[in-house]
């Protein structure tokens, strides 16, 4: 039996990079004012103007009316640590102290399956509540933290990438693995999860300081033998970190060179941060086809620095957008866009709403080589969707009422929007989040402020 329905409402999707100008490149945006998405068995069977599609629909097809909303592809987060959910908003440290004081002690708790299960479910609830349907996720060094995450994501029908952290030095006993153990665990997890349903495996050496040369080398060997695997790590986030890497790897000419020596820099590699890269490092990353995950809320929170997005663009280096929770302060793609805009303002390179929403959807899908599956609304694509509500709050409704065009409406959403603006989230053709109808902004006026 097929599982089918029609979603009717305004549709917005990107066909290509809209560029950096106020007006998007011609042909880069698909916007249908009264559109229709015919979903069947997890995919988009047809997309078009409602009036054109309506005569071809089978009798009795359920129609979901989103005519006062805006339907977009589900958002994508290219770098996030699910295991750090509960240490978000831990006060006042830069990277290395923050890792030692808050992060490593919390990650030690993921040896316990029950804790991992609890956090994995809470993380996915929150992620879907913010309209994010795919993420590339750091677990901890404990294989059970990966098994529980993938199990929870699979049960919800989500497309997710994740991996076991590899770290064999400079961390508490409860977190360090060994070269052989880390490799064996990764290989077992790859066999169990990579390509299972909508899941993919990302090799995850934490960052250069917590892996020995031997561990980085072993990771590179796995990647060479299985080029369809992903790789994620951190790079050039913080000045103290960069100095430490230079001490630990004196043979390397710069931070990126450490990863290059071991074959970790390729088209499926995501490097979080890259704030303090040299022009030469940007050029080498671009040549390898790797991407930098720009994590603006995290960079501001840890005081790491201002990421020069346009310098990367000029070098031909692909930049994706990410939350980096738990150093990031918000899982919401809106918060990431707002902070990216603010960082851009300080560097005289403001982010347009076109460019921002392109990055959150098709741009991030391309960075992760997932654009054949997700990131756009197109026939045959997987039905991962976010339904946005431009009237979500009284303020947003007032501001939206003032707007004259789609660009202004999108920009208002990017700056004023949060999880309340996510009316519903769909994954693989199924409703996976519906904003709480009893929330105050949804209640009829006579109920607001009264006891339940
Ligand atoms: N560098 C190494 N580990 C981490 C981490 O967990 N978060 C951030 N922001 N940077 C890191
Ligand atoms: Zn990170």
């Amino acid at each position: 039996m097929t599982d089918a329905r029609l979603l009717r409402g305004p549709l917005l999707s990107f066909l290509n990079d809209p560029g950096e100008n106020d007006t998007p490149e011609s042909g880069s945006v698909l916007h249908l004012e009264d559109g229709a998405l015919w979903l069947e068995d997890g995919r988009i069977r047809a997309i078009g103007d409602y009036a054109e599609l309506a005569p071809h629909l089978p009798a009795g097809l359920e129609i979901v009316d989103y005519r006062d909303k805006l339907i977009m592809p589900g958002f994508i987060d290219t770098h996030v640590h699910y295991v750090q959910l509960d240490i978000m908003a831990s006060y006042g440290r830069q990277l290395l102290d923050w890792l030692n004081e808050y992060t490593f002690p919390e990650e030690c708790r993921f040896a316990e399956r029950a804790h991992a299960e609890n956090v994995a479910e809470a993380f996915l609830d929150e992620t879907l509540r913010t309209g994010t349907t795919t993420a590339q996720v750091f677990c901890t060094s404990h294989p059970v933290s990966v098994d529980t995450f993938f199990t929870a994501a699979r049960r919800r029908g989500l497309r997710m990438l994740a991996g076991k952290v590899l770290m064999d030095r400079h961390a508490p006993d409860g977190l360090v693995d060994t070269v052989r153990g880390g490799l064996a665990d990764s290989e077992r997890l790859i066999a169990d999860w990579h390509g299972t349903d909508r899941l993919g495996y990302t090799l995850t050496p934490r960052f250069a300081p917590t892996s020995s040369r031997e561990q980085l080398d072993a990771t590179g060997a796995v990647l060479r033998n299985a080029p369809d695997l992903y790789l994620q790590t951190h790079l050039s986030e913080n000045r103290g970190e960069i100095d430490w890497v230079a001490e630990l790897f004196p043979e390397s000419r710069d931070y990126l060179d450490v990863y290059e020596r071991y074959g970790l820099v390729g088209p499926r590699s995501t490097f979080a941060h890259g704030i303090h890269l040299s022009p030469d490092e940007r050029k080498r990353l671009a040549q390898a086809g790797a991407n930098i995950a720009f994590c603006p809320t995290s960079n501001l929170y840890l005081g790491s620095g201002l990421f020069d997005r346009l310098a990367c663009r000029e070098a031909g280096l692909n930049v994706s957008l990410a939350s980096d929770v738990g150093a990031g302060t918000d899982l919401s793609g809106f918060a990431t866009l707002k902070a990216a805009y603010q960082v851009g303002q300080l560097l005289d390179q403001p982010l347009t709403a076109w460019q921002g929403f392109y990055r959150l959807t098709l741009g991030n899908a391309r960075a992760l080589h997932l654009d054949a599956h997700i990131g756009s609304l197109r026939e045959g694509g997987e039905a991962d969707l976010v339904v946005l509500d431009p009237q979500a709050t009284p303020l947003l409704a007032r501001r939206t009422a003032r707007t004259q065009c789609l660009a202004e409406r999108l920009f208002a959403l990017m700056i004023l929007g949060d999880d309340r603006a996510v009316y519903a989230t769909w994954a693989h053709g199924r409703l996976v989040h519906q904003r709480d109808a009893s929330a105050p902004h949804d209640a009829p006026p006579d109920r607001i402020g009264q006891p339940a």
Side-chain angles (χ1 to χ4, degrees):
M1 214 180 87
T2 58
D3 179 26
R5 58 189 53 78
L6 189 97
L7 311 190
R8 179 178 181 183
L11 306 180
L12 175 68
S13 177
F14 290 90
L15 305 166
N16 218 334
D17 186 339
E20 297 289 336
N21 296 329
D22 292 351
T23 308
E25 296 281 336
S26 126
S28 62
V29 179
L30 172 76
H31 178 223
L32 303 178
E33 300 260 9
D34 186 9
L37 282 173
W38 181 356
L39 311 187
E40 191 174 85
D41 294 335
R43 292 184 180 274
I44 298 172
R45 172 167 172 168
I47 169 172
D49 285 314
Y50 178 78
E52 278 171 29
L53 218 53
H56 307 288
L57 301 174
L61 183 68
E62 178 196 352
I63 296 184
V64 185
D65 189 348
Y66 287 138
R67 269 179 290 178
D68 57 350
K69 306 290 188 293
L70 176 66
I71 305 172
M72 290 184 64
F75 298 153
I76 300 167
D77 185 346
T78 62
H79 177 80
V80 59
H81 303 247
Y82 96 83
V83 294
Q84 296 175 7
L85 188 76
D86 292 339
I87 55 147
M88 289 173 75
S90 297
Y91 176 72
R93 291 285 183 271
Q94 289 221 345
L95 175 65
L96 300 177
D97 295 320
W98 176 84
L99 286 173
N100 286 319
E101 277 182 45
Y102 305 117
T103 313
F104 290 165
E106 171 61 14
E107 291 195 10
C108 285
R109 301 181 64 193
F110 286 75
E112 215 187 294
R113 178 181 293 272
H115 183 67
E117 280 171 354
N118 175 283
V119 180
E121 296 294 347
F123 172 84
L124 290 175
D125 285 346
E126 284 299 307
T127 303
L128 296 173
R129 220 159 55 73
T130 62
T132 295
T133 45
T134 290
Q136 181 166 236
V137 178
F138 267 60
C139 303
T140 66
S141 48
H142 313 98
V144 69
S145 72
V146 187
D147 287 316
T148 51
F149 179 76
F150 276 140
T151 301
R154 185 185 193 193
R155 188 161 1 90
R156 298 174 193 235
L158 305 177
R159 183 169 281 286
M160 287 282 166
L161 303 176
K164 175 206 122 61
V165 167
L166 294 158
M167 49 194 302
D168 64 350
R169 60 174 179 168
H170 298 142
D173 289 347
L175 279 189
V176 287
D177 56 12
T178 60
V179 178
R180 271 163 159 267
L183 194 62
D185 287 341
S186 300
E187 283 176 340
R188 198 275 293 165
L189 290 163
I190 291 163
D192 281 357
W193 295 110
H194 188 60
T196 298
D197 293 344
R198 306 181 75 203
L199 308 174
Y201 196 84
T202 307
L203 291 163
T204 309
R206 177 170 216 118
F207 69 156
T210 47
S211 283
S212 62
R213 291 171 180 76
E214 294 72 26
Q215 184 166 60
L216 296 174
D217 192 42
T219 309
V222 177
L223 200 57
R224 261 193 307 285
N225 290 328
D228 64 324
L229 292 173
Y230 292 88
L231 180 122
Q232 60 182 348
T233 187
H234 298 88
L235 170 68
S236 225
E237 175 178 8
N238 168 286
R239 299 270 181 211
E241 170 208 16
I242 295 166
D243 292 346
W244 195 22
V245 170
E247 269 173 43
L248 292 170
F249 297 91
E251 69 279 18
S252 287
R253 63 182 155 145
D254 54 32
Y255 195 158
L256 180 64
D257 186 45
V258 176
Y259 296 136
E260 286 172 333
R261 277 167 191 262
Y262 300 107
L264 303 181
V265 187
R268 286 174 173 254
S269 306
T270 298
F271 296 92
H273 308 297
I275 300 168
H276 307 288
L277 294 173
S278 67
D280 192 56
E281 285 176 300
R282 287 193 197 103
K283 197 168 81 190
R284 280 147 52 205
L285 282 161
Q287 278 163 355
N291 82 92
I292 294 285
F294 173 25
C295 310
T297 72
S298 165
N299 297 164
L300 295 172
Y301 185 72
L302 292 179
S304 304
L306 301 175
F307 177 75
D308 192 341
R309 196 176 58 83
L310 289 192
C312 293
R313 193 173 177 101
E314 275 152 27
L317 170 53
N318 204 357
V319 173
S320 63
L321 275 180
S323 71
D324 192 32
V325 158
T329 52
D330 208 312
L331 282 165
S332 169
F334 294 124
T336 300
L337 291 183
K338 177 172 165 176
Y341 175 79
Q342 290 166 330
V343 168
Q345 283 289 58
L346 293 174
L347 297 177
D348 199 19
Q349 45 181 258
L351 182 75
T352 67
W354 300 116
Q355 183 60 214
F357 284 101
Y358 164 71
R359 290 286 153 200
L360 268 194
T361 55
L362 183 60
N364 275 359
R366 284 178 169 174
L368 297 178
H369 295 259
L370 291 176
D371 49 309
H373 306 289
I374 57 170
S376 59
L377 306 179
R378 56 172 188 81
E379 204 176 296
E382 295 173 357
D384 285 3
L385 314 164
V386 58
V387 182
L388 303 177
D389 180 1
Q391 270 87 34
T393 65
L395 181 62
L396 199 53
R398 288 179 71 87
R399 182 63 188 91
T400 298
R402 277 281 189 102
T403 56
Q404 313 252 333
C405 60
L406 181 60
E408 286 182 16
R409 284 202 292 286
L410 287 175
F411 189 70
L413 267 171
M414 161 166 148
I415 302 300
L416 297 178
D418 55 33
D419 54 295
R420 292 169 296 179
V422 176
Y423 183 73
T425 308
W426 293 71
H428 214 214
R430 292 183 39 237
L431 184 68
V432 288
H433 164 70
Q434 173 68 62
R435 193 180 65 196
D436 181 3
S438 66
H441 52 267
D442 255 357
D446 62 342
R447 291 222 10 239
I448 291 176
Q450 290 181 13

